[in-house]
Amino acid sequence: MYGVCGCCGALRPRYKRLVDNIFPEDPEDGLVKTNMEKLTFYALSAPEKLDRIGAYLSERLIRDVGRHRYGYVCIAMEALDQLLMACHCQSINLFVESFLKMVAKLLESEKPNLQILGTNSFVKFANIEEDTPSYHRSYDFFVSRFSEMCHSSHDDLEIKTKIRMSGIKGLQGVVRKTVNDELQANIWDPQHMDKIVPSLLFNLQHVEEAESRSPSPLQAPEKEKESPAELAERCLRELLGRAAFGNIKNAIKPVLIHLDNHSLWEPKVFAIRCFKIIMYSIQPQHSHLVIQQLLGHLDANSRSAATVRAGIVEVLSEAAVIAATGSVGPTVLEMFNTLLRQLRLSIDYALTGSYDGVVSLGTKIIKEHEERMFQEAVIKTVGSFASTLPTYQRSEVILFIMSKVPLPSLHQTVDTGRTGENRNRLTQIMLLKSLLQVSTGFQCNNMMSALPSNFLDRLLSTALMEDAEIRLFVLEILISFIDRHGNRHKFSTISTLSDISVLKLKVDKCSRQDTVFMKKHSQQLYRHIYLSCKEETNMQKHYEALYGLLALISIELANEEVVVDLIRLVLAVQDIAQVNEENLPVYNRCALYALGAAYLNLISQLTTVPAFCQHIHEVIETRKKEAPYMLPEDVFVERPRLSQNLDGVVIELLFRQSKISEVLGGSGYNSDRLCLPYIPQLTDEDRLSKRRSIGETISLQVEVESRNSPEKEERVPAEEITYETLKKAIVDSVAVEEQERERRRQVVEKFQKAPFEEIAAHCGARASLLQSKLNQIFEITIRPPPSPSGTITAAYGQPQNHSIPVYEMKFPDLCVY
């Protein structure tokens, strides 16, 4: 039967005759358009025949491919494309299966032209919105084949470029067809993402190669063609832009693996470019998911080379800055915690020389300069990300970093031994560097919020350490917090300007919050400055920072009381250089003299008291003539000009406290307070110092308390505290508590069981006793007023004052109103 139908054309089904008629005798003539219109009309009129039409076309195409009749193959694909565009009925699913079977056949071919032809047809199909869903369609083959085409290595550069472009377009078509259809295969599964994303990144990676082979002007096309790298970037952006919340992880993980496998973290240029594309393509509320992926990858590579970790951190820095413009969410402290943990690990690696802490033959040797580069990258990342955060989050980050700084306190353990001391020191330096990065540019109107007590206590505790670098960081951090008007750079050099108006300082009136802050913490700040001035290891940078800190306090936080205290403080610093109880070097003493001159010159012009300015100016002029080594212009230079003998400094070269208190007292300042020399208050911070033991600190505090007490002559020597003393105190306190408990029991029992008359008599006796005591007090304290009528003589010839009630007194007429 079928053989007879095949021989007799008139007996063949109509759909087959219509399909055969669209093919010309010569394939170069192309598709017969009139017959194609008839076939399209028939397919629309009888949609139940559409699947048979597709099957027959597929049969012919497979036969033509096998016979290498590629002209008829192109005609068949053109006919399929037109039928797809025209038909949207419910039976199209079966037709699509035949269509996809033909596309797969073309993609399996080794001929580049057939691969490109099949890809173009698939892209047209991907842009069609189907009316009916498909439950069984699979695109696994197309994902694999298109990904393979993206990695084409054909010998001909032009053909290779075309194949790669087709592969990228095919992947883009798969994404468009499946990403928004929940009934289709889930394109976000790792098995698909692990092929699609690396294929796109591979073409992005070769953008330099394409640019280096740009055509000459004579060979340039009429319109600029799109390169595989540009198309891959556009496709990647589209893919990420369609990613939902739960799919971000599957899309980002292949990127990280690709960068690891191809060692692309170390140049880091490509890695940064990739994540910029990612961050600008995804929805802003998904940014924190990318940050979490990077943080997890950094932890996973904690034992990788420092250059790899530094590349990840720099990529994290770029991504975090972009994410901060959207929504970072709960990952803020998580990010800083991870970075600080990696910082501590890097310090351990640099000290031990290995990732395991033990150096053996098989251990990978760590280069210290690479670890240092990684540490600087972490610090830079901390600062760049923190600068984008709002004030409240920035304050939390500042407190968080400060809580990680190891301090030798009673509440925090630190590593001991030589290696432990080095680790603690490096950790302190790195964390303070990070804190300095975060505090730079920090703007907060309320200093109580910017420098809370727990933070300020810990920060100033580090100032008692011997390390000069740590002390310098503390000064710079304080300056960053206090400077709220950008005046910091104007005090970068210490000088005695005759007119400070050239500095163009931005000065605002001290607010109420600032006044409260200074009342609470001023003595703590003054003490820190005073003790910092006494350090032998101070260098020019330390004195410049001290000058900047004094100047900024005077501008940002000063009222009359603060100005008085600052002047007392600077005069006490002058006494340090003059008395030299600390046996400071000559440079340090000259620097303290110069520091005092520069600050008093500044504060005298800020207060605008003429007599004060005149006194300061006179001393400075005398120093210029007789002792220039006591001025900043000769001390804080590359080659300081110092004096070898500072013991016999005449009084004309010094700023006199009596003179200053006299001239400022006449202008309304507290002259009594100005006359008092500044003595720093010793606090619990002393026990954090590595230069003093806890026992020495306690003895110093007891000595100061006894020295300031007015009853110090009557005090007996303190009892020595021993184990027996403590045991006795505990036993005595227990006995006292037992006695008190027994007394209360007796009182309660008496009021419960005694008769009423006895209780009333007891209370009456107590009341009469109280009244008698009050009468005695009144007789002693209250004296009767003098009588207007004078004194009268009582019995026994003694004069006696007679008290007359006020309402009976007679006043002169002038007192009546």
Side-chain angles (χ1 to χ4, degrees), residues 360-581:
S360 59
L361 293 178
T363 303
K364 184 178 179 181
I365 303 300
I366 294 177
K367 297 179 181 179
E368 188 175 351
H369 70 279
E370 292 182 353
E371 291 295 336
R372 195 177 301 114
M373 177 189 67
F374 169 72
Q375 293 162 12
E376 294 297 330
V378 172
I379 293 171
K380 178 185 175 183
T381 301
V382 168
S384 61
F385 180 45
S387 63
T388 63
L389 296 176
T391 302
Y392 73 95
Q393 280 188 330
R394 206 165 175 182
S395 300
E396 292 178 358
V397 171
I398 288 169
L399 294 175
F400 179 75
I401 296 176
M402 195 66 221
S403 67
K404 298 291 183 180
V405 178
L407 297 176
S409 65
L410 298 178
H411 306 288
Q412 187 173 2
T413 59
V414 295
D415 299 328
T416 57
R418 185 172 183 82
T419 304
E421 289 181 0
N422 291 335
R423 182 180 292 108
N424 292 333
R425 177 184 176 276
L426 290 175
T427 304
Q428 290 162 357
I429 290 175
M430 292 302 167
L431 292 179
L432 288 175
K433 274 187 178 181
S434 305
L435 191 58
L436 180 59
Q437 287 283 337
V438 176
S439 62
T440 301
F442 181 69
Q443 297 290 334
C444 185
N445 295 327
N446 189 353
M447 290 302 297
M448 294 292 291
S449 301
L451 293 173
S453 299
N454 55 347
F455 171 78
L456 191 61
D457 292 343
R458 291 182 62 87
L459 180 63
L460 295 183
S461 296
T462 57
L464 299 176
M465 297 180 181
E466 291 180 339
D467 194 284
E469 189 174 2
I470 292 177
R471 296 200 309 272
L472 182 60
F473 280 130
V474 174
L475 292 171
E476 292 178 347
I477 291 169
L478 285 173
I479 289 173
S480 298
F481 279 109
I482 295 175
D483 181 26
R484 293 174 293 183
H485 294 87
N487 293 316
R488 177 181 184 178
H489 66 281
K490 300 173 184 177
F491 303 109
S492 57
T493 58
I494 308 177
S495 61
T496 54
L497 293 174
S498 58
D499 184 9
I500 63 171
S501 61
V502 298
L503 297 177
K504 298 180 180 180
L505 300 175
K506 298 178 182 178
V507 183
D508 281 345
K509 186 178 180 181
C510 181
S511 64
R512 181 177 176 274
Q513 292 86 351
D514 294 341
T515 303
V516 173
F517 172 79
M518 289 305 291
K519 284 185 177 180
K520 186 174 182 180
H521 298 293
S522 60
Q523 296 303 321
Q524 198 175 4
L525 288 171
Y526 302 153
R527 176 178 173 277
H528 163 70
I529 296 173
Y530 182 82
L531 294 178
S532 297
C533 292
K534 298 173 69 173
E535 295 294 337
E536 295 184 11
T537 55
N538 285 344
M539 296 182 292
Q540 180 176 341
K541 290 183 179 180
H542 293 80
Y543 294 111
E544 290 174 350
L546 286 168
Y547 174 69
L549 181 58
L550 287 168
L552 289 173
I553 292 176
S554 304
I555 293 174
E556 299 282 352
L557 307 172
N559 50 26
E560 290 187 3
E561 183 179 349
V562 173
V563 169
V564 168
D565 287 340
L566 287 173
I567 293 173
R568 292 171 56 222
L569 172 62
V570 173
L571 292 176
V573 170
Q574 178 182 257
D575 293 340
I576 295 175
Q578 183 183 5
V579 179
N580 197 24
E581 292 180 353

Side-chain angles (χ1 to χ4, degrees), residues 14 21 101 231 260 311 365 375 450 462 530-531 570 645 779:
R14 185 181 179 188
N21 291 338
K101 184 178 179 181
L231 182 60
D260 287 339
I365 303 300
Q375 293 162 12
T462 57
Y530 182 82
L531 294 178
V570 173
N645 185 14
E779 290 178 359

